Amino acid sequence: MFTFEFYQKHIRLLGVIAIVVCMGAWAVDWLEVVYPCPFCRVQRTIIGVLGAFMILGSSHFILKYFASVFAFFGAGVAMSQHFRGWVKIHKGEFAWYDPIYYDAFILSFLALFIIIAQAWIICLRRTQNA
């Protein structure tokens, strides 16, 4: 599980999981369980879009290019949101959200890791003929 080949072999399953995570995150937004945060909405959408790219099964450079563009955008948004938490920490205004698993500081950190991992998995995908 800790080898890159594992993730390449299961890329489509990981794409389905990413889409399920995206839809689950949108569901809690639509059900008004969480605050309608524009940062979070972008991040969950990008995770879903990259999940769809993972399902496609293509290693064409155009797909990798678009995946990179979407991933950079999503990662930039996640970094911006996470940095806002660090600013609050340095101002002495930071407080954990209750319940903690809805905390934007933690979720933006996780989204950043997920988006970067998806970008690597997509962009390093080998061609089917190799």
Side-chain angles (χ1 to χ4, degrees):
M1 182 170 168
F2 296 107
T3 63
F4 184 70
E5 288 75 27
F6 173 84
Y7 297 99
Q8 287 297 305
K9 183 178 177 184
H10 298 95
I11 190 168
R12 288 192 170 123
L13 175 63
L14 294 169
V16 169
I17 291 170
I19 291 172
V20 169
V21 166
C22 168
M23 296 309 296
W26 270 109
V28 295
D29 189 350
W30 291 327
L31 295 172
E32 298 178 355
V33 175
V34 295
Y35 174 77
C37 169
F39 290 100
C40 302
R41 287 177 170 181
V42 168
Q43 293 163 46
R44 70 179 66 120
T45 302
I46 295 301
I47 289 170
V49 168
L50 293 175
F53 285 169
M54 293 168 80
I55 291 173
L56 287 177
S58 173
S59 60
H60 196 275
F61 77 96
I62 293 293
L63 179 116
K64 291 179 179 183
Y65 174 75
F66 279 106
S68 297
V69 171
F70 283 115
F72 272 99
F73 176 64
V77 171
M79 287 184 289
S80 296
Q81 184 179 21
H82 194 69
F83 185 72
R84 288 173 59 158
W86 282 107
V87 169
K88 287 181 182 178
I89 289 171
H90 289 284
K91 287 183 176 179
E93 302 169 354
F94 184 80
W96 293 106
Y97 187 83
D98 188 37
I100 197 162
Y101 48 84
Y102 286 142
D103 190 81
F105 189 66
I106 295 172
L107 293 174
S108 62
F109 177 77
L110 294 174
L112 181 61
F113 271 78
I114 292 168
I115 291 168
I116 297 298
Q118 287 179 297
W120 275 67
I121 290 169
I122 292 167
C123 291
L124 294 177
R125 175 183 245 170
R126 293 181 189 90
T127 59
Q128 301 298 329
N129 297 336

